Structures are given as structure tokens and as C-alpha cells.
Amino acid sequence: MKNTGSGLLARLRQSLAPALFGPPVLAFLPALTLATYWLGGEVALLSVALGLPILIAAAGGFGKLGGGGLPRDSITGMMLRDGFEHETARIYGECADSDLRSAIFILELDEYKELADRHGQEAADRIMQHCGTQVLSVLRQNDTIARIGDSRFAVCLAPTLQLDLELCIQLAGRMQTAAEEPVPLDGTTVYMTSSIGFCQRNRAPDGSAAEWISAAAAALSEAHSNGPGGIRAFSADMTGYGGRRANLREEAAAALEAGQIQAWFQPQICTDTGRVSGFEALARWSHPVQGLIPPSTFLPALEETGLMDRLSQVMLYNALVAIKAWDAAGVHVPCVGVNFATQELRNPGLAGRIKWELERFELPPERLCVEILETVMTDQPDDVVTRNILALSELGCHIDLDDFGTGHASIAAVRRFNISRIKIDRSFVMKADQDPEQQKLISAILTMAERLELDTLAEGVETAGEHALLAQLGCGHVQGFGIGRPMPFDQTLDWITAHEAKLQDAPVIGRQTP
């Protein structure tokens, strides 16, 4: 009987605390204190002033931040992973003993590491604090939120009677919109995207609250595999992500040799003509069991095993085969871009190998764009790197400077390496049609490129508004999900045909002469 009574008291306290001490009721505190003073004088007022904090503390522990005396994150003030696991275990058990429902959401800011590298850790902390506050604002009083990683927030919903998949998706969308609210930072505006994975309590794997959290993390991994800004619900066939074997490096190496890692191609469009001006070759791992594994997972594994040079050979071969196939099909694709990291550029035989491959395929060097990161220039490249880039430029290959604006390369370095085109990083492009400050930055880059007689390409174009703005400002080429997603070679011909058909159907602008 005692346990039943205490359980009832706990549930009563949990249900009444938000109503009695939530933000709406706090508005009545001034009136309460005035009435107390009027009715009972100074003694009554002092009693209320001392008693209210004690009463609130006794009923506390049910706010969004939760976790009473547990350690908290110094940046956001939220509980950390230990506290979240403790609260989740409580809710897990509460739902098991009743018809109540709940769900766990894990939200991660995309490309947080790059954000911290670009703006500094202090700025990154400010952004996380802002995002946490925004996500907190769309939750209910009893929901639990925690910071469980550098760029991750976890949310566990307070148990409720009604919570279906559609409601979870809607709530995930609200959280995502809140987290992606632009952040003013040092005179500019930072735009971000976020990915969310979630798992409903009634769909979680049997076992424990820890497995419930792992299921939400598996859904987040699935969201990441489809590019930034994804939302995914957990399903039973995702368990492979949560239990991926520790020997990822061995798996990735074997996959590279087995031909599972291949080049996919993302189209690039000329803003003057609307026609295809090229493709970028991007590495994709199509796992026979787990499906498409994101590059952010397998590229570090290949780098650790020293196989990036082997990957560049595979990508170069795939790119040249694709060019020959497009030519044979009568499709005009001027060039294909292949990425070369610093590790590959340090290979003394790189320029000679590329020249030999071009001759073997009987292709002129201008059909190949060698893409190098801007950080290659800012990391004080050694003599081998410098010789390779200059040799490839003298051979006739186009040299594209990738992710321009993130590595702070000097104009002198751009000229010294004979760069032919700069690729404006997606962080400058995102929502540029809505932000005048972003437009000023892009205009400045384009003006500099024009003075230096450099071609330009904008990455990460996702909307028609961004495409139109870049064309208006004079950017030569565009690339991004709004143009076309990376695709296997066998899908490129159909994509090109469909794109050319849209150009044919476009109305003719200008005066018609008889």
C-alpha cells in the first residue's frame, strides 16, 4: 500500500508541477506577493519569499532540462549523456508498465567540425548554445533534452497517450527548423543544416533503454547517408548500422579492391547556357548488405590505411571510362573533375601516371579537372605537391580550387599554382538569396575571380532562388542537389537527356523577327 501511495504521489507531482510552476503561472507571482503583503504584512511576505523556492525545488526536476543534481554541459546548461540515459531508463520503464508512448530524437548539426575549423571553437560553442535554445523552445515542459556530443542533442519525449509516426515526423521537422535558425556571428550570418534520427518506444528493439538510444542513433546514421538535412525513423533493418564491426578499415580496403567503391557523378551546369558543363566524380561505397555507406564513414578509414592513392587511381579510371562512354553515346560532357587530397599530391609519380592514363584513353588533358582543396595551399605544400600541380597545369589539365573561402589561400598562391577555376564553398551559397550579407561575400569573390581571369563554380546549390542569384551575380557554373544529386554512371545518360529536353521546352526570350 505504501508503494502504491508513493507512486500515486509521484505521478500527481509530475502532472501538477508544470501547471503550478510553469511559465504561465509565474506571471501571477507579483500579484501573489502584493496580496500576501496586504493581508499579512512583512512576516507573511518573508514567509512566501522563502517558502516558494523550497516548494518549487520539492516539485522540481521535471523541466525540459531535467536531471536534478547531475552534471551539466558548461555551454548549453543541459544535462549530459549520463543524465539523459538515467531519464531515458525511467521513461522506458514507465512506458513498459502502461499504455503510454514516447520517442527519442537525436539531432546533429551537419559539418560541425568544418564549422569549428572555419570560425573557431568559441564561435562554434555560441552556435551550439543558440541551436540548443532554439530546439528547447519547441519542446514541452516535461520533455527531456541533453547535449550528448560536440554537435549532438538528444530529446526524450515525456510519456503521452497519443504519439504516432506522423506526429513524430512533424515534431522532428519543427526541431530541425528551430535548429537551423540563422546565427549572427561577427558581422555575418551563419547558416546550418541538421539531421535527425528518431525511434518510437513501441518500435524500439527489445532489451533496454540503451538499445532504444542506439536505435535512434542508427536512424541518424541512415539520415546522414542520404546527405545533409535528412530525417529518418528507426526500422528493424537499420540494426546493421548500430552494430557495424570494428574492422571498418579492413572492410573498406576489401571493398575498394572488390569494386564496391566506385565513382558517382554529380552534374555541373553553365549559368549562361543552362547546358551541362561537366561532372564531378565522387566516391561512393555500395555495400551488398548495408546499402550506401556515406563517404564520411569510409574515407577516413581508407586514409588511415594509406589507400587514398589507390582510391584516386580508381576514381581517375572511372572518370576517363565515363568520358569515353559519353563520347561514344554522342553526349557532350566537356570535362570531369577528380579530387586529389594532399596525401595523393605527395606521390612523385602522380603527374606522370595521369599523363599516361590520358594517353591510354586517347583523351586530351583539358577533359580532366584536377580538384585540390584550398587547404593544400595554406598548409605550406612541399616541393613534390607544388611540382605535381604545376606539371598537371602545364600538361593542359584544368586545376580547380575546391571549397574556396574556407582555407584563406592568398591571391599569390592562386596565381602561383595556375588555378583555372575556383569552387565557391557551399557555406557561402546556402540561403544566399535570402541574406544580403551572403550576397556581398559572393559578389566580392566573383569580382576577384573576374579580375584574375578565373572561372567560377558554386557548390551546394539547392534551390531555384540560389541558382538564379548566382547566375545574376555572374557565377559561371553551379552544382548541387538543386541541380542533380550524385548518381551512378548508368543513370547519367537519362539525366542528361531529360535535362536537355527541359532546355528545348524553355520559351524563347526576346523579340521574334519575321
Side-chain angles (χ1 to χ4, degrees):
M1 189 70 180
K2 182 179 180 181
N3 290 338
T4 303
S6 61
L8 177 63
L9 181 61
R11 287 195 295 273
L12 183 64
R13 185 178 64 173
Q14 181 174 349
S15 60
L16 290 180
L20 294 176
F21 303 106
V25 175
L26 295 180
F28 291 94
L29 284 180
L32 177 63
T33 54
L34 285 174
T36 302
Y37 181 73
W38 183 61
L39 292 173
E42 293 181 0
V43 175
L45 179 61
L46 184 61
S47 299
V48 169
L50 293 174
L52 270 177
I54 297 173
L55 183 60
I56 292 174
F62 300 102
K64 295 178 186 178
L65 298 179
L70 293 169
R72 295 187 178 278
D73 175 46
S74 60
I75 304 300
T76 63
M78 296 176 180
M79 67 169 66
L80 299 172
R81 178 178 286 274
D82 288 346
F84 184 76
E85 291 175 350
H86 180 270
E87 287 295 301
T88 301
R90 180 183 64 78
I91 294 172
Y92 183 88
E94 187 174 344
C95 291
D97 298 333
S98 65
D99 294 328
L100 297 175
R101 296 173 178 268
S102 179
I104 289 177
F105 298 77
I106 299 181
L107 179 149
E108 182 166 30
L109 288 184
D110 299 321
E111 300 179 350
Y112 176 78
K113 183 178 183 299
E114 291 80 358
L115 191 76
D117 291 342
R118 187 179 308 134
H119 298 287
Q121 189 57 51
E122 183 179 351
D125 289 343
R126 287 165 54 189
I127 290 171
M128 284 300 292
Q129 185 180 42
H130 174 85
C131 290
T133 302
Q134 290 297 113
V135 173
L136 192 66
S137 69
V138 303
L139 300 178
R140 299 170 302 170
Q141 181 70 21
N142 282 356
D143 296 334
T144 300
I145 184 170
R147 185 180 182 184
I148 62 170
D150 286 345
S151 58
R152 286 189 179 187
F153 296 103
V155 172
C156 187
L157 300 183
T160 182
L161 287 172
Q162 299 294 329
L163 186 68
D164 57 15
L165 179 61
E166 183 178 356
L167 282 174
C168 287
I169 293 174
Q170 290 176 1
L171 180 56
R174 290 201 296 271
M175 281 193 246
Q176 192 176 63
T177 300
E180 295 175 0
E181 185 73 19
V183 182
L185 185 68
D186 297 332
T188 186
T189 303
V190 177
Y191 294 91
M192 299 153 296
T193 61
S194 60
S195 300
I196 297 180
F198 68 88
C199 179
Q200 296 167 267
R201 169 64 180 86
N202 60 324
R203 293 176 180 266
D206 294 332
S208 65
E211 292 192 24
W212 187 18
I213 298 173
S214 295
L220 178 64
S221 295
E222 178 74 5
H224 281 315
S225 69
N226 292 285
I231 296 176
R232 289 294 182 275
F234 174 78
S235 60
D237 58 0
M238 292 182 187
T239 52
Y241 279 98
R244 186 170 295 156
R245 299 200 311 270
N247 60 344
L248 176 62
R249 288 176 293 186
E250 288 77 7
E251 279 191 279
L256 184 61
E257 294 306 318
Q260 294 177 12
I261 299 178
Q262 292 285 321
W264 283 30
F265 299 91
Q266 186 171 30
Q268 300 166 339
I269 301 298
C270 175
T271 56
D272 285 338
T273 65
R275 298 192 178 279
V276 175
S277 58
F279 280 86
E280 181 180 3
L282 299 165
R284 293 293 184 267
W285 180 3
S286 183
H287 194 283
V289 177
Q290 299 177 13
L292 200 63
I293 295 179
S296 58
T297 298
F298 70 83
L299 287 181
L302 291 178
E303 188 172 2
E304 290 172 9
T305 52
L307 288 173
M308 292 300 288
D309 195 54
R310 173 58 182 155
L311 177 64
S312 73
Q313 294 178 27
V314 171
M315 298 298 290
L316 177 63
Y317 178 81
N318 287 174
L320 299 182
V321 168
I323 294 173
K324 294 294 286 187
W326 285 319
D327 289 349
V331 175
H332 180 59
V333 177
C335 64
V336 175
V338 178
N339 294 276
F340 291 88
T342 306
Q343 179 180 335
E344 304 150 66
L345 291 169
R346 288 197 177 105
N347 182 349
L350 178 65
R353 189 184 78 215
I354 291 177
K355 179 182 178 182
W356 182 83
E357 291 284 4
L358 288 167
E359 291 174 349
R360 181 162 73 102
F361 281 90
E362 297 181 340
L363 289 171
E366 59 266 21
R367 301 294 297 276
L368 177 66
C369 284
V370 176
E371 299 197 7
I372 60 173
L373 293 171
E374 186 182 14
T375 51
V376 170
M377 296 184 180
T378 57
D379 289 343
Q380 298 181 344
D382 56 34
D383 291 341
V384 176
V385 172
T386 302
R387 284 199 301 270
N388 272 329
I389 296 174
L390 292 177
L392 291 170
S393 176
E394 292 169 2
L395 181 63
C397 297
H398 298 289
I399 308 296
D400 281 7
L401 185 59
D402 204 2
D403 293 346
F404 183 80
T406 63
H408 312 296
S410 68
I411 294 177
V414 171
R415 302 308 297 165
R416 178 162 59 92
F417 283 99
N418 202 17
I419 302 299
S420 52
R421 182 168 68 177
I422 58 175
K423 299 182 71 174
I424 303 172
D425 185 69
R426 65 186 302 272
S427 62
F428 296 101
V429 175
M430 188 186 302
K431 299 183 181 179
D433 56 325
Q434 304 173 27
D435 187 347
E437 295 301 320
Q438 294 283 87
Q439 295 170 23
K440 291 177 184 177
L441 287 171
I442 294 173
S443 295
I445 294 172
L446 294 174
T447 299
M448 180 204 71
E450 183 181 6
R451 295 290 187 270
L452 296 175
E453 298 181 347
L454 298 175
D455 205 354
T456 51
L457 183 149
E459 298 180 287
V461 177
E462 297 189 357
T463 67
E466 292 167 357
H467 187 171
L469 172 73
L470 290 160
Q472 182 182 4
L473 293 177
C475 185
H477 308 267
V478 288
Q479 171 184 348
F481 286 0
I483 310 300
R485 290 176 175 267
M487 64 193 83
F489 171 79
D490 56 9
Q491 296 179 17
T492 59
L493 292 174
D494 289 340
W495 187 92
I496 294 172
T497 301
H499 180 75
E500 294 288 339
K502 285 191 291 186
L503 293 179
Q504 296 294 332
D505 295 338
V508 177
I509 300 175
R511 181 179 299 174
Q512 300 292 322
T513 56

